[in-house]
Amino acid sequence: MYLKERFTRAAGVEGVKLLCPAKVNLYLKVLGRRPDGYHDLVTVMQPLSLADELTIIFGGDGVSLECDHPELPVDESNLVWRAALSFEQETGRKVKAHITLVKRIPVAAGLGGGSSDAAGTLLALNTLAGDPLDGARLHRLAARLGADVPFFLKGGPAVAQGIGTRLTPITLPSYWYVLLNPGVPLSTRWVYENLDLAHLAPYPGMQVWDPEHPESWVHNDLQSVALRRFPELNGLMQQLKGLGAGAQAISGSGPTIFGLFSTWEAAREAGQEMRRTFTGWMALCRGLSGPESDTPWENQTWMI
Ligand code: ATP
């Protein structure tokens, strides 16, 4: 979460504006299915400068939400609202706020947008309430909202293990990413249900995530399932490779694909070339390394 603005209005209404970044999974290995239905994973997650924008204005009787995405609910089933309610239950403090969500991250796209919105909401409410929840309680609350939510509390790239909630920060160069999405959502649940665990290559053991050589380890076990549903993504990844991407893959459960580039110029050139034939959603953005969460990075995302 990046706190963009904190404001007090004439009538004494206080509010905040914050950015909730997307992520890509640079590596994702499924280790097995657990009795509770979740899967054990090892995944390398990289936050991006592509972000949703949340504005929280305090006041009113309870929580109210508006969102510019026509297909997202604006009730308790939205992860933003669920995060606000879980904060309320955990702290016993009633949340009175009007929340506006501007979606820039495609929905059900493997980019973690909903989880990031939930993490941003938790962090903002906790910060503005004077930090009633310490890091460990926030982490537990986040994990109950979704396996990816704790990652977005931290900021910066991390290796996630277990169901994705055991996090170890790692250092990666701030690569540039070209993202392509065919514009059709893909359910994470469907992808896991169609994953054939018996045919996955065994986990090679804790990897060395050589920061300078992503091509040697970028990988996604869920990719073959997403490709069955969207076979045309394979050709797009080959195109990205031909245009100089250092690595390319599907992110999470898809269907967004990414190409990773060392420089902005190389990424922009590849993006513009892809745009000549690709008609879906496309963006160029930067990988966030964590410490820059205090400096503005909102101007480092371009729609192509
Ligand atoms: P993951 O990779 O964590 O599965 P994703 O990027 O594939 O996530 P999201 O965009 O986070 O998918 O959305 C997953 C589901 O959550 C959608 O079907 C959507 O209806 C629901 N949802 C609820 N609240 C939100 C929100 N604020 N933003 C996006 N989706 C939301």
Side-chain angles (χ1 to χ4, degrees), residues 52-75:
D52 289 341
E53 189 169 289
L54 264 180
T55 306
I56 304 179
I57 305 276
F58 293 99
D61 297 329
V63 175
S64 58
L65 177 65
E66 76 188 73
C67 175
D68 66 342
H69 194 293
E71 276 138 48
L72 279 185
V74 283
D75 57 20

Side-chain angles (χ1 to χ4, degrees), residues 23 25 45 52 54 65 67 69 71-73 75 77-82 101 103 105-118 146-149 152 185-189 192 251-256:
K23 57 84 181 163
N25 300 79
M45 298 168 88
D52 289 341
L54 264 180
L65 177 65
C67 175
H69 194 293
E71 276 138 48
L72 279 185
D75 57 20
S77 63
N78 193 298
L79 281 155
V80 166
W81 196 308
R82 283 181 48 207
L101 172 60
K103 283 300 289 184
I105 306 171
V107 172
L111 296 172
S115 303
S116 184
D117 298 342
D148 285 351
V149 182
F152 289 107
L186 183 55
S187 139
T188 303
R189 191 190 174 123
Y192 276 103
S251 178
S253 53
T256 307

Side-chain angles (χ1 to χ4, degrees), residues 100-152:
T100 307
L101 172 60
V102 176
K103 283 300 289 184
R104 301 214 178 90
I105 306 171
V107 172
L111 296 172
S115 303
S116 184
D117 298 342
T121 306
L122 280 183
L123 274 176
L125 292 177
N126 196 47
T127 305
L128 288 158
D131 294 318
L133 303 179
D134 62 16
R137 274 176 86 189
L138 263 185
H139 185 280
R140 274 200 301 278
L141 204 56
R144 288 210 292 272
L145 288 165
D148 285 351
V149 182
F151 163 75
F152 289 107

